[in-house]
Amino acid sequence: MALTHNVWAFVFGIMGNIISFVVFLAPVPTFVRICKKKSTEGFQSLPYVSALFSAMLWIYYAMQKDGSGFLLITINAVGCVIETIYIVLFVTYANKKTRISTLKVLGLLNFLGFAAIVLVCELLTEGSTREKVLGGICVGFSVSVFAAPLSIMRVVVRTRSVEFMPFSLSLFLTISAVTWLFYGLAIKDFYVALPNVLGAFLGAVQMILYIIFKYYKIPMAQKTDKSKAVSDHSIDIAKLTTVTPGPISDSAVHQPPLIHNVPETQIQVTEVKSQNITDPKDQINKDVENQSQV
């Protein structure tokens, strides 16, 4: 029975290494885009910084186990190298504000935070107690790695766009979480199995959101109504703002009506108004002359 468990642990461990390696390579198209555009656009560095820190912790945790943690060490060592390359590229092409914030998080979490954990575990714990303490810390930060895309999921829901949440990454994260879940069950390691339950769940949610908002369409009737309203509105504006004077025919010229019994004051007001009305061309010429004099 123990031999059977060891075989299944080895199988799921190898599968986990292969799938996790693909997961680590999933952001490559994203960084190809960043390198081509020389801008990080709306992408965030937190998932890569968190993944690097998690890989460092899992290596330290696996080193406390007697031989059974070898497959954890191999894949997380590869992950550290790949995530470091991603972070270097991100910092290179990020704007000044994003670059500074990324370096701050990297220094506080991956250097000071990791150093503090190692010192505390080496000085204050030993044996199985150290393994339990590290296991609990690894579970906590693995959950944060799986929860890091929640900010991207919020952006997807708000903007109804999946541009910054690649489907391939969500798919392989889900498969990887399921594989490592079975690996943890095979070696009876609670700390390996537990965080991957949440990882499988969040990965499935990401894929569902991708399918919903990738193929989200506005009904055609709504589009037609909007376009019609816009065109009608444009026509109304054109009618209101465009006045084309037409030719005056002889039939359109009427003799002024005869004035009968009009008060003298009203006649004077009419004469004053007619004197104040000037030809627009004459007014423009006067304005030009005034500007030239100035």
Side-chain angles (χ1 to χ4, degrees):
M1 190 70 177
L3 179 62
T4 305
H5 280 293
N6 290 334
V7 170
W8 282 114
F10 179 77
V11 170
F12 285 119
I14 294 296
M15 290 176 59
N17 272 255
I18 296 172
I19 298 172
S20 295
F21 180 72
V22 176
V23 170
F24 285 130
L25 295 181
V28 167
T30 298
F31 282 91
V32 170
R33 171 178 172 174
I34 289 174
C35 292
K36 286 183 178 180
K37 295 190 175 184
K38 296 183 179 180
S39 172
T40 56
E41 299 180 299
F43 295 102
Q44 299 180 5
S45 62
L46 182 59
Y48 312 109
V49 174
S50 300
L52 175 61
F53 185 66
S54 178
M56 294 166 63
L57 283 177
W58 280 113
I59 291 174
Y60 186 43
Y61 170 77
M63 292 173 64
Q64 311 304 317
K65 301 178 73 67
D66 298 329
S68 60
F70 175 74
L71 292 176
L72 287 174
I73 295 175
T74 55
I75 187 57
N76 284 288
V78 173
C80 284
V81 175
I82 296 175
E83 296 297 337
T84 301
I85 294 173
Y86 290 156
I87 294 172
V88 170
L89 290 174
F90 190 93
V91 171
T92 301
Y93 292 107
N95 56 48
K96 184 177 180 180
K97 182 179 179 181
T98 305
R99 183 184 300 116
I100 292 174
S101 62
T102 300
L103 292 176
K104 284 182 179 179
V105 174
L106 185 66
L108 291 173
L109 186 64
N110 296 69
F111 290 96
L112 294 180
F114 183 75
I117 291 173
V118 172
L119 288 175
V120 169
C121 290
E122 292 293 333
L123 297 177
L124 302 180
T125 62
E126 60 181 12
S128 60
T129 303
R130 180 183 301 170
E131 182 178 335
K132 291 178 181 179
V133 171
L134 279 174
I137 295 173
C138 288
V139 169
F141 280 98
S142 293
V143 169
S144 70
V145 169
F146 288 123
L150 287 175
S151 58
I152 301 297
M153 293 165 64
R154 186 176 65 252
V155 173
V156 170
V157 173
R158 187 177 68 250
T159 63
R160 298 181 179 271
S161 172
V162 295
E163 182 179 5
F164 299 112
M165 190 180 70
F167 181 79
S168 59
L169 180 59
S170 301
L171 174 62
F172 283 107
L173 277 174
T174 306
I175 298 174
S176 175
V178 172
T179 304
W180 286 110
L181 170 62
F182 284 111
Y183 174 78
L185 295 175
I187 64 174
K188 297 181 180 180
D189 192 325
F190 171 80
Y191 302 109
V192 175
L194 180 61
N196 287 289
V197 175
L198 179 62
F201 172 74
L202 291 178
V205 172
Q206 290 181 44
M207 290 190 293
I208 292 172
L209 285 177
Y210 186 94
I211 293 172
I212 291 174
F213 293 109
K214 176 66 175 180
Y215 302 102
Y216 176 83
K217 301 292 182 182
I218 299 176
M220 293 302 296
Q222 185 177 356
K223 285 185 177 181
T224 306
D225 294 340
K226 286 185 177 181
S227 60
K228 183 178 180 181
V230 171
S231 60
D232 292 343
H233 185 61
S234 301
I235 293 172
D236 292 340
I237 292 176
K239 287 181 180 179
L240 291 173
T241 57
T242 306
V243 178
T244 306
I248 301 176
S249 60
D250 295 338
S251 60
V253 179
H254 301 281
Q255 294 294 329
L258 297 176
I259 301 174
H260 299 286
N261 300 324
V262 178
E264 184 176 355
T265 56
Q266 185 174 349
I267 296 174
Q268 292 176 354
V269 170
T270 305
E271 290 177 354
V272 171
K273 289 183 178 180
S274 62
Q275 289 175 1
N276 292 333
I277 299 174
T278 59
D279 190 0
K281 292 183 179 180
D282 295 339
Q283 184 64 35
I284 293 173
N285 293 333
K286 288 181 180 180
D287 293 339
V288 173
E289 290 176 1
N290 291 334
Q291 291 178 1
S292 62
Q293 289 176 1
V294 174

